[in-house]
Amino acid sequence: MSLRIVVCVKYVPDATGDRRFAEDTTTDRDAVDGLLSELDEYGVEQALRIAEASGDAEVTVLTVGPDDAKDALRKALSMGADKAVHVNDDDIHGTDVIGTSAILAKAIEHTGFDLVVCGMASTDGTMGVVPALLAERLGVPQVTLLSEVTVADGTVTGRRDGDAATELLQAALPAVVSVTDQSGEARYPSFKGIMAAKKKPVTALDLDDLGLDAGQVGLAGAWTAVQSVTARPARTAGTVVKDEGEGGTQLAAFLAAQKFI
Amino acid sequence: MSSKDFDLFRISEEHEMLRDAVRSLAEAKIAPFAAEVDEQARFPQEALDALLANDLHAVHVPEEYGGAGADALAMVIVIEEVARVCASSSLIPAVNKLGSLPVVLSGDEALKHRYLTPLARGEGMFSYCLSEPEAGSDAAGMKTRAVRDGDHWVLNGVKRWITNAGVSEFYTVMAVTDPDKRSKGISAFVVEKSDPGVSFGAPERKLGIKGSPTREVYFDNVRIPADRIIGAEGTGFATAMRTLDHTRITIAAQALGIAQGALDYAKGYVRERKQFGKAIAEFQGIQFMLADMAMKLEAARQLTYAAAARSQREDGDLTFFGAAAKCFASDAAMEITTDAVQLLGGYGYTRDYPLERMMRDAKITQIYEGTNQVQRIVMARNLP
């Protein structure tokens, strides 16, 4: 039986664009182009490498997002994933991480899995808690923040590089892992991969398909509520120190006032 | 009224995805070395490595020979995006197509397997040897001879302006096999770098595309097996010309890429550069220049893509379209890069900025694979 790998990916606003919020304080997705979260490309890459090493594996990419999120799936498919699952439902708009993890967990169970691979965090929300939430909801071990990961004989093995120590971790499958941006450069889609991507199956699911109630998710179901959003003030010119013999003293005084020294 | 699914005059989603992929790759792996490659006039090894790793070095090779089997428009997009950051590097995929297309178009099955397979695997690049010291625009006036000797051909002569000479493993060489028949007495052959009697001249000291070696190739009693002939004896010149119908579009693509790189850079610069208390992009004189540059570039792009589609379909009017695209796009690139230097003022004239390199690189696109004067002759003889 082949190894079933599910990679969770997110469609995020392009960080180089002018990102804004809509009136309901959710991300204004119409204002800026979206793309596959760069940190999730590492997840796709590791899943593909594990699949290639195993020789008998199927990689499914999964996303929860609006219509345009299909672009993120398409990119992952063009990199080499075998099929995709797109959970899309108007009632999902505004869902927080708790709700998102519930939807992802249902979709992963629906798809069937031996290994779930996530990036270390999304590049927009940057919370990095989805892997842990998923492991909890799926009732399987979590091995997170890996910079190296391999699968053999029903066991996933990984290396986590911390500030103070490097840990070697193992878990029996099924399991959830997350990989960091140090895990290995993500491949570029090849011409053949791009041409093949269009023909690969993309399964569309909504909340009904997953047996979820609209009240459990969405803006209303979120555990946190954003009251207001204020843009960071534009950078100001700053303080210019003119050196007339005692510039060093002025600099030291400035840094001391800012509590840097 | 509007229908978003109206699919004429726009390229497919796959082609756009290819552009995104090649652009990211080119910006990350090729652009950082472009200035150094030009400054030191050295081969862009980093670009070759990146193109090989991502199977973009010869995307035109059909799938049955292990290639990506990319269509002519996909090829244009690859060249465009590489040339946008480094024109020298764009000559890797461009010349691989130019050199090997005679084999694709006219070679027999065994020859295709023998030479397209290693090209696709990245084991050797392909160069194209048509021009000679005394035979440029008048290519049929070539002197290089191939004489039959039993089961072999023996080649003698000199080819000039050979792109990637010395780096490529394989060379398509046009040579006279029957001096009485002029163009109908020319045949095409595959010569390998390692064939005894093959040697190379000193690298030319050029104005631009300095990272792409251009050298003479010498054939001194080069004895090759008879099965290295491409197509039938006497068809070499026709194959050479048919090849150019297709590959002039790659030169157009290169011109588009260089011009796009210059326009993108200049567009960013004028927004940052402040004079008289405001960004110079706010002056109408500057705006008009940018508008003209973008207009010319877009017109060139549309013509080039239309020509690429004709190349893929092998339409009857390909010869006109190939020449028109090459000529128009290269003239546009020369104007656009010159204006881009102008927009940067004194900075544009220095080697601290990439514009002067782009302007120097653009110049060759008006000259090689047929000067733009020759393109006009070709167009005039093939008016639609």
Side-chain angles (χ1 to χ4, degrees):
Chain A
M1 172 131 176
S2 69
L3 181 70
R4 295 165 303 170
I5 306 172
V6 178
V7 190
C8 300
V9 300
K10 189 173 183 185
Y11 181 72
V12 299
D14 186 346
T16 60
D18 183 18
R19 291 178 287 179
R20 278 188 290 246
F21 293 92
E23 275 181 27
D24 63 359
T25 69
T26 61
T27 309
D28 183 355
R29 291 180 182 274
D30 295 331
V32 58
D33 286 341
L35 42 75
L36 170 62
S37 172
E38 190 192 329
L39 289 171
D40 291 342
E41 287 186 17
Y42 294 97
V44 175
E45 177 63 33
Q46 289 307 314
L48 293 173
R49 290 189 194 182
I50 291 166
E52 284 158 4
S54 113
D56 182 25
E58 185 175 58
V59 177
T60 304
V61 281
L62 163 65
T63 197
V64 176
D67 291 352
D68 289 347
K70 70 174 184 338
D71 290 352
L73 295 175
R74 194 73 177 278
K75 169 103 186 257
L77 290 172
S78 70
M79 288 170 71
D82 300 296
K83 58 194 180 79
V85 174
H86 186 177
V87 185
N88 186 4
D89 196 312
D90 288 346
D91 290 329
I92 293 174
H93 175 80
T95 303
D96 66 358
V97 71
I98 305 290
T100 301
S101 67
I103 299 167
L104 283 171
K106 288 285 186 192
I108 291 165
E109 283 170 342
H110 185 277
T111 305
F113 74 103
D114 299 301
L115 179 68
V116 176
V117 182
C118 301
M120 61 193 285
S122 61
T123 54
D124 57 349
T126 67
M127 293 178 72
V129 295
V130 163
L133 289 166
L134 279 181
E136 185 65 21
R137 290 188 183 278
L138 295 167
V140 300
Q142 52 166 310
V143 190
T144 55
L145 300 174
L146 303 179
S147 47
E148 199 178 279
V149 57
T150 54
V151 171
D153 306 324
T155 303
V156 57
T157 306
R159 195 185 78 228
R160 182 193 288 152
D161 296 318
D163 289 337
T166 292
E167 298 166 277
L168 288 175
L169 302 154
Q170 266 192 347
L173 298 181
V176 173
V177 302
S178 72
V179 298
T180 70
D181 55 357
Q182 300 303 305
S183 57
E185 192 186 11
R187 67 195 65 190
Y188 295 89
S190 69
F191 177 74
K192 276 187 190 169
I194 290 167
M195 296 312 279
K198 201 172 192 174
K199 300 180 194 92
K200 291 177 176 173
V202 179
T203 307
L205 299 174
D206 60 17
L207 292 176
D208 280 348
D209 296 323
L210 298 177
L212 284 163
D213 187 68
Q216 297 169 260
V217 298
L219 203 52
W223 289 20
T224 50
V226 177
Q227 298 299 331
S228 67
V229 175
T230 311
R232 187 177 16 203
R235 279 177 68 169
T236 52
T239 309
V240 178
V241 174
K242 261 211 178 118
D243 186 15
E244 284 162 350
E246 37 65 74
T249 315
Q250 278 195 64
L251 272 178
F254 176 82
L255 291 172
Q258 304 292 323
K259 299 198 182 350
F260 283 118
I261 54 174
Chain B
M1 177 62 209
S2 87
S3 52
K4 296 268 184 232
D5 55 356
F6 184 71
D7 267 332
L8 295 181
F9 295 97
R10 75 170 170 206
I11 67 175
S12 76
E13 222 177 327
E14 283 83 1
H15 287 93
E16 285 297 357
M17 285 179 73
L18 176 67
R19 183 190 301 287
D20 286 348
V22 183
R23 181 167 293 193
S24 322
L25 175 81
E27 286 182 345
K29 312 269 183 189
I30 298 175
F33 305 98
E36 182 187 308
V37 157
D38 175 68
E39 188 80 32
Q40 299 175 2
R42 68 164 177 87
F43 185 75
Q45 187 60 40
E46 298 87 350
L48 177 60
D49 293 345
L51 292 167
L52 284 173
N54 293 280
D55 204 16
L56 290 167
H57 59 291
V59 289
H60 68 287
V61 177
E63 287 186 77
E64 55 262 50
Y65 309 107
D71 58 79
L73 181 57
M75 177 80 194
V76 161
I77 289 168
V78 171
I79 302 284
E80 232 187 305
E81 291 304 324
V82 177
R84 182 174 162 271
V85 302
C86 178
S88 290
S89 299
S90 72
L91 279 157
I92 293 170
V95 172
N96 274 340
K97 180 169 182 175
L98 173 66
S100 65
L101 201 63
V103 176
V104 175
L105 292 174
S106 307
D108 62 28
E109 206 49 40
L111 201 71
K112 287 186 193 178
H113 265 286
R114 183 160 171 197
Y115 289 109
L116 297 179
T117 313
L119 171 64
R121 278 204 298 257
E123 292 164 6
M125 301 205 294
F126 234 114
S127 288
Y128 179 87
C129 307
L130 177 65
S131 297
E132 295 184 1
E134 303 299 328
S137 296
D138 180 16
M142 68 178 64
K143 301 269 191 308
T144 298
R145 281 296 309 266
V147 177
R148 185 77 188 230
D149 179 19
D151 288 340
H152 289 79
W153 288 96
V154 179
L155 275 68
N156 278 288
V158 179
K159 292 291 177 179
R160 184 172 282 180
W161 314 124
I162 308 309
T163 303
N164 291 342
V167 185
S168 289
E169 282 299 318
F170 312 119
Y171 298 81
T172 286
V173 180
M174 268 54 76
V176 175
T177 45
D178 185 345
D180 298 334
K181 293 187 179 162
R182 207 174 138 80
S183 70
K184 293 207 165 39
I186 291 170
S187 304
F189 302 89
V190 179
V191 175
E192 300 184 14
K193 180 181 170 179
S194 57
D195 287 329
V198 174
S199 60
F200 304 97
E204 303 289 351
R205 298 172 306 139
K206 307 188 296 287
L207 175 71
I209 53 162
K210 292 187 179 198
S212 178
T214 310
R215 301 167 69 174
E216 285 190 327
V217 183
Y218 307 118
F219 304 94
D220 180 14
N221 282 316
V222 177
R223 200 175 159 79
I224 58 170
D227 61 8
R228 297 253 207 102
I229 194 166
I230 304 173
E233 197 178 327
T235 62
F237 193 75
T239 295
M241 292 302 115
R242 207 169 138 226
T243 296
L244 294 177
D245 282 346
H246 293 277
T247 57
R248 281 176 182 139
I249 298 163
T250 18
I251 304 305
Q254 207 173 32
L256 292 181
I258 297 168
Q260 186 70 59
L263 177 58
D264 288 349
Y265 197 97
K267 216 164 65 181
Y269 178 86
V270 297
R271 286 177 185 151
E272 301 289 325
R273 171 73 172 169
K274 288 196 172 63
Q275 289 291 277
F276 305 103
K278 55 183 173 182
I280 61 170
E282 290 177 40
F283 292 100
Q284 204 172 44
I286 300 287
Q287 291 168 359
F288 280 10
M289 285 177 73
L290 286 161
D292 280 343
M293 291 158 75
M295 172 181 70
K296 288 172 192 167
L297 179 54
E298 205 47 54
R301 180 171 285 123
Q302 297 302 325
L303 180 57
T304 304
Y305 289 5
R310 280 164 173 82
S311 162
Q312 188 62 28
R313 293 189 300 255
E314 299 211 55
D315 282 350
D317 53 3
L318 168 62
T319 303
F320 172 82
F321 269 83
K326 188 271 187 191
C327 188
F328 189 83
S330 58
D331 284 349
M334 198 65 241
E335 291 168 19
I336 292 164
T337 53
T338 306
D339 282 349
V341 168
Q342 189 72 18
L343 284 171
L344 267 76
Y347 298 104
Y349 199 67
T350 70
R351 286 190 292 187
D352 298 326
Y353 289 80
L355 280 313
E356 60 83 34
R357 180 185 87 233
M358 293 169 173
M359 182 178 160
R360 288 185 284 107
D361 287 344
K363 185 64 202 172
I364 192 60
T365 63
Q366 294 181 302
I367 297 171
Y368 61 13
E369 290 205 29
T371 63
N372 281 6
Q373 288 65 41
V374 164
Q375 304 306 321
R376 286 174 168 93
I377 296 172
V378 172
M379 280 186 274
R381 285 179 184 161
N382 293 277
L383 288 174

